[in-house]
Amino acid sequence: MRRRTFMRSVMFGASALALAGCKEDTPPQTTPPPGVYIPDARPTDDLFRYLERKKGGFDQTLYKQLLGAANAYKEGDEAVGLAAADERSRANARLLLANTRIGDLRAHPVFEDGIYALIEQSADPTAADTLKGWRMGELKRFLLERSEADIKALMPGLTSDIIGCLVKLMSNEELIAVGSKIFNPLPGSKIGSKGYLGARIQPNSPTDHPDDIRWQVFNGWAYAVGDVVLGTNPVSSEVESVRTVENALKDVLETFGILDVMPHCVLAHIDIQAQVEELDPGSTALWFQSLGSTEAANQTFDVTLAKMLAHAAKRTGRYGLYFETGQGADATNGHAEGFDMVVHESRKYGFARVLGQRVAQAQLGAGRAAAPWVHLNDVAGFIGPEVFRTREQLVRCCLEDIVMGKLHGITIGLDVCSTLHMEVNLDDLDWCLDQIMPANPAYLMALPTKNDPMLSYLTTAFQDHVRIREKFGYKVDDALWAFYQELGVIDAQGRPTEHFGDPTWVYLQYRRRKGDARSDEEVLAEARAQMAQVRERGVWLAEGHGVNTWDLEPTLDQEIRYLYDDAKKSIWAELPTTFTSALPGAVTVATGSKDREDYILHPPSGEQVAEPSVDTLRLLRDAHAGQYDVQLVLSDGLNALALTDEGHLGPYLERVRAELTAAGYEVAPQPIVVTAGRVRAGYHIGEVLYGSLPDKDSHRAILHLIGERPGSGHHAYSVYITAPTVDTWAKAGTVDHDITRVVSGIADTALPPAQAAVDTVTILKRLAPR
């Protein structure tokens, strides 16, 4: 039997007992299985007849449970009490849903807020009226049997909750059948068209170094990969840093004359991108934002409905908005609201659809044609095993999301990825891609190897695109394919040339377009020197290939596999018993995690300090008597080695204390060491230390050092900087990620610890000025 989550006894027991205690004449269940138990659905029952029989009328809690039980099994639904108790219960939940009319579902929303209202209002009333009398099973058959044109005529009437419920009824094969017949290409391109598979080059750098970023672009183009967007995840979200990266990306596109063919984007908060554009007009192109499914979930990203509508109204040029989402993000941030991950994800697509419509309106208002370049990347697998653990679940998630995105009319791409603490390895990802690709998503991520050098997770490599093109016959956007032929990495017939897989050749073409008149030998020598420097900073670059053009060069492949093995070791590492004693005055506290396995599989267990340790914190608070305004907290996180490796922690602590003192802050002399600590454990510590202080308007800070996602070989840690007022600390649960800033990628081989200390205090001075 699979492992149940720690929340099972609390949440599943309630749902099972609710059903077991009804008056229906059914076989007695002395010990119903944990989960949503549905032993007896009649062939003619729909959801509401069943609720009438079981509860004597509509019951919102059981209604949400029945909808959740129709989902394919995932740990994320189980954690919030919505997974079916067994396969019979799942089949019965699907039967009830298939028999239910669309109009009845729309009349009983699982949760209402401003985003839900916006999605409902955006539905085309004529198409929606046509559908309201259909049963969900009829809608499923329609999608499987009818043409793309017929389906698209009704799509404007499909709301997000209906689309989310619909995919629950489909097998993987049925999801592929629907996904492979509906296409929503980006205006003026082939991206998202049938038979095309694009790529977002993701040139991430552990230090935001412009050369790291440029060289990964050259690297992708050497394999004829990259046609959707050059999109970098920044380490720093400081305006000047984002501006530097934006201009580095823009320079590459501008130099090669393809600014009007492919955009660039730095995936900082959308407010930061707007500031960069205001400061340096024309430096940004496509604007990015992560989306949640509810107003409360979006607040975690410091995003409001009004803010996103206002940003959409500004997007009057060629390039509009780029979104990222992922199943499970809402629940892991504490915003499950009692309904399941699939419907949550579908609502994000509905929100994206509305924002795309607003971009179209903005273009019309500016005298342009309504041709919104708006697309969405489903980051499936990034959160970890608390959402789902296995490769089969990753495939299911991707197929569900492809169909939901396409039925919303969205150009949807995928980040088919896994964290290093999931049960999905490098070879499993190849298998996953082979299962998913027949559904023809619009694009995938693209990196030099499967291992992201900054985010430390597994995703799609450049040569995976080469393999997929060969196996499935998918094409690159026509304009970019012509560019690659002009670049000389493929010939007129689309075959690799002698320059295929050679980023130094792409660099040579870049320099020639810059007017560089040096000899080829001089430029190529410079290229090799720069590549060596990039690699020394921990960024892998691929060259050449193995036996096949889609095989990673064997030596590099061996290195990436070593890093995967090191990541597994790092995840299970624990702080040694001597760690605290080596820190003068250090105070040790523990979270609610029972052990390392509990911590990894059940993140909420590491988000709160356990009660005995809360008493320890209260004693520390009383001893401090309000005289300190900065507290250092150290957590093992997902990589204890990040804090114990030589040259990592010591230089940071020494420099940050000096910088804080020089800036006028009073730093508590005793660092707090947290065993099995997540980021939110730092917030809990801040509430205990600061929440009862009398000076309600003063700012008090937690600097939380935590070992982060392993896999890069750097054993890097991050510092989460949180500095609200005492009044805010006093309101339990108020302090969250939306008011926290972070300095990440800190290691002796990445962002130097001493420099990270300077960056930390620079940010703190803005949050809590002296």
Side-chain angles (χ1 to χ4, degrees), residues 589 609 613-621 672 685 688-689:
V589 300
V609 176
S613 292
V614 172
D615 291 337
T616 301
L617 292 173
R618 291 187 182 118
L619 291 173
L620 186 64
R621 173 200 63 196
I672 296 172
I685 289 170
V688 176
L689 292 183

Side-chain angles (χ1 to χ4, degrees), residues 350 379 437 503:
V379 189
M437 285 307 100

Side-chain angles (χ1 to χ4, degrees), residues 360-652:
Q361 292 172 14
Q363 290 177 321
L364 287 172
R368 295 174 56 93
W373 186 290
V374 174
H375 59 91
L376 184 145
N377 174 32
D378 167 37
V379 189
F382 188 75
I383 296 174
E386 63 268 33
V387 173
F388 49 80
R389 294 177 62 182
T390 68
R391 66 180 193 172
E392 290 78 13
Q393 291 174 347
L394 176 56
V395 167
R396 176 69 190 188
C397 173
C398 289
L399 293 177
E400 289 168 347
D401 294 352
I402 289 170
V403 172
M404 289 194 296
K406 290 190 174 188
L407 288 176
H408 277 93
I410 293 171
T411 307
I412 183 166
L414 294 178
D415 193 344
V416 183
C417 62
S418 70
T419 61
L420 278 301
H421 53 319
M422 288 174 64
E423 296 173 3
V424 180
N425 62 33
L426 292 160
D427 297 323
D428 287 335
L429 281 180
D430 290 341
W431 179 86
C432 291
L433 289 170
D434 287 347
Q435 312 309 305
I436 295 164
M437 285 307 100
N440 204 166
Y443 61 92
L444 299 173
M445 299 300 98
L447 289 80
T449 75
K450 281 184 169 71
N451 197 335
D452 187 291
M454 188 272 279
L455 294 173
S456 297
Y457 77 120
L458 303 180
T459 186
T460 320
F462 296 145
Q463 282 162 299
D464 291 324
H465 284 264
V466 178
R467 182 180 73 84
I468 291 166
R469 292 194 305 235
E470 180 71 20
K471 180 167 184 174
F472 294 96
Y474 288 145
K475 295 181 285 187
V476 172
D477 182 58
D478 294 351
L480 265 296
W481 196 245
F483 167 70
Y484 293 134
Q485 290 173 323
E486 179 188 349
L487 195 59
V489 296
I490 53 172
D491 64 20
Q493 286 72 44
R495 296 186 298 256
T497 69
E498 60 183 313
H499 304 302
F500 185 82
D502 181 4
T504 67
W505 170 259
V506 181
Y507 180 75
L508 177 61
Q509 311 316 304
Y510 171 76
R511 293 307 311 166
R512 291 288 176 253
R513 285 165 171 78
K514 287 283 191 184
D516 194 331
R518 290 176 295 167
S519 68
D520 285 2
E521 291 74 16
E522 289 177 288
V523 175
L524 292 173
E526 179 179 79
R528 286 187 288 271
Q530 288 190 16
M531 288 179 68
Q533 292 168 357
V534 169
R535 286 169 170 145
E536 286 174 4
R537 288 190 291 269
V539 176
W540 305 287
L541 297 174
E543 290 184 86
H545 51 78
V547 175
N548 302 302
T549 55
W550 54 84
D551 293 333
L552 202 61
E553 189 276 324
T555 302
L556 182 57
D557 181 70
Q558 185 178 10
E559 181 179 351
I560 297 303
R561 290 180 184 277
Y562 165 79
L563 290 171
Y564 177 82
D565 293 338
D566 178 70
K568 289 296 186 183
K569 172 185 173 183
S570 299
I571 284 167
W572 293 98
E574 299 185 58
L575 294 173
T577 55
T578 57
F579 181 78
T580 303
S581 61
L583 298 169
V587 175
T588 301
V589 300
T591 65
S593 298
K594 297 190 296 291
D595 51 32
R596 191 69 182 166
E597 183 176 26
D598 186 35
Y599 172 73
I600 290 169
L601 297 181
H602 309 131
S605 69
E607 293 182 346
Q608 292 282 304
V609 176
E611 193 56 41
S613 292
V614 172
D615 291 337
T616 301
L617 292 173
R618 291 187 182 118
L619 291 173
L620 186 64
R621 173 200 63 196
D622 295 343
H624 286 174
Q627 61 184 308
Y628 303 115
D629 46 29
V630 177
Q631 175 67 57
L632 291 164
V633 177
L634 317 176
S635 291
D636 47 9
L638 288 176
N639 188 359
L641 300 179
L643 301 185
T644 60
D645 279 4
E646 185 177 355
H648 279 210
L649 185 59
Y652 179 88

Side-chain angles (χ1 to χ4, degrees), residues 9-10 15 88 134 141 145 178 239 254 264 303 311 396 408 429 434 507 536 565 580 720 732 735 739 750 754:
S9 60
V10 176
S15 60
R88 180 184 178 189
W134 291 23
R141 288 193 296 275
E145 295 170 1
V178 174
V239 170
E254 195 169 44
H264 62 283
V303 165
H311 281 309
R396 176 69 190 188
H408 277 93
L429 281 180
D434 287 347
Y507 180 75
E536 286 174 4
D565 293 338
T580 303
Y720 289 83
V735 175
I739 63 170

Side-chain angles (χ1 to χ4, degrees), residues 44 83 182 258 307 340 343 352 445 485-486 517 543 588 604 671 680 691:
T44 57
I182 301 171
I258 53 174
K307 179 184 290 187
D340 62 271
V343 173
M445 299 300 98
Q485 290 173 323
E486 179 188 349
E543 290 184 86
T588 301
R680 285 194 175 96

Side-chain angles (χ1 to χ4, degrees), residues 101 273 599 734:
R101 296 188 188 277
Q273 295 166 81
Y599 172 73
T734 299

